[in-house]
Amino acid sequence: MNFTLLACLFSTLLLISFMLNLYIAQVRLIKRDIEEKALAIDYIVVVNALSYASKKTTNASEFSALFSYAINYSISLLKKNSDYSGELTSTEVYYNTSPGSCSAYAKAIFTHPWGNETIHALLSIKVTTYERYSLPFLRHYEVVLLKVQVKSERPVDLSFKVKNGSIIEIKRYPDQIFLIKALVRRRRPFILIVNDERGIELKVKLDGNN
């Protein structure tokens, strides 16, 4: 066998090796893209179920039932209209509301061909300071000052509004702390409504006599 033939054979082997490595890399990339897409869908399903339940009720037992309905309905639609491969293995839902705080949390485990994936979603609001006072020139309204601590499993944009009144000013500080100034009608409960960019809604109620 002459050197020219050996060189050609060696070059061919190098090319085959390169193409094989490229193919393997592409397969791994496709697999990673499929897994990342599935994880994104898992998260959206959980968040949408939380959003649905949070807008329908403030009762803990009803919240859990609404969440289960929404997440199972979403998965059934996905399976009918796409190649989604996830199977919902288990869920854990927590919803709590009390004067000055409200939390919604969900944990869901999905089974995929490559294994199990766990998804968490959280939005929690707590009023840490609350002050309410009157001004002589405001006959029908009172001024409310409050500091709010928000917690979520990932940073989210938030919007605030007040029932029985309106927000005058919002200041944001590090660690998702907000200082809110609002006007509320006299002798009416102060209800802060918080929405995040995912559609999760929480209501925090404080007694109008505070």
Side-chain angles (χ1 to χ4, degrees):
M1 187 179 292
N2 60 40
F3 287 109
T4 303
L5 185 59
L6 284 173
C8 289
L9 181 59
F10 184 68
S11 297
T12 302
L13 289 173
L14 283 178
L15 180 60
I16 291 172
S17 176
F18 173 77
M19 295 300 295
L20 183 60
N21 288 333
L22 182 61
Y23 173 76
I24 293 171
Q26 288 176 336
V27 168
R28 287 174 178 170
L29 183 61
I30 291 170
K31 181 185 176 188
R32 187 176 66 187
D33 287 345
I34 292 171
E35 292 178 4
E36 288 178 353
K37 180 182 176 182
L39 281 173
I41 293 173
D42 292 347
Y43 183 76
I44 291 169
V45 165
V46 172
V47 167
N48 283 349
L50 270 183
S51 173
Y52 176 82
S54 70
K55 289 179 170 67
K56 290 288 185 180
T57 186
T58 56
N59 178 278
S61 59
E62 290 179 359
F63 188 96
S64 181
L66 287 166
F67 175 86
S68 295
Y69 163 78
I71 195 169
N72 284 295
Y73 181 73
S74 296
I75 291 172
S76 67
L77 281 181
L78 277 169
K79 289 184 175 295
K80 287 179 182 178
N81 298 287
S82 71
D83 58 355
Y84 177 73
S85 62
E87 295 289 345
L88 183 63
T89 304
S90 66
T91 60
E92 178 184 333
V93 186
Y94 172 82
Y95 180 82
N96 181 64
T97 181
S98 60
S101 67
C102 189
S103 299
Y105 168 77
K107 171 186 174 183
I109 299 176
F110 295 84
T111 299
H112 293 279
W114 58 86
N116 291 343
E117 300 288 355
T118 302
I119 303 296
H120 301 269
L122 166 71
L123 184 64
S124 175
I125 310 295
K126 183 177 181 180
V127 176
T128 56
T129 62
Y130 175 68
E131 182 182 357
R132 186 167 178 162
Y133 59 89
S134 302
L135 292 174
F137 53 86
L138 293 174
R139 294 182 58 191
H140 303 294
Y141 290 87
E142 295 173 310
V143 178
V144 173
L145 293 174
L146 66 156
K147 184 181 288 186
V148 177
Q149 172 72 69
V150 179
K151 292 183 180 180
S152 55
E153 90 288 349
R154 62 174 65 182
V156 291
D157 290 331
L158 300 160
S159 64
F160 300 87
K161 60 182 179 180
V162 174
K163 190 175 181 180
N164 303 319
S166 59
I167 292 176
I168 302 171
E169 183 181 22
I170 300 176
K171 293 182 180 179
R172 180 168 185 165
Y173 296 93
D175 300 321
Q176 296 192 93
I177 295 173
F178 297 84
L179 187 63
I180 299 172
K181 185 177 183 179
L183 290 177
V184 64
R185 296 188 69 86
R186 287 180 182 270
R187 291 182 291 276
R188 295 284 186 88
F190 178 82
I191 301 175
L192 180 68
I193 303 169
V194 183
N195 285 272
D196 72 10
E197 61 185 327
R198 302 169 296 182
I200 302 173
E201 179 177 286
L202 299 181
K203 296 181 177 72
V204 179
K205 183 176 180 179
L206 294 158
D207 193 336
N209 296 322
N210 282 12

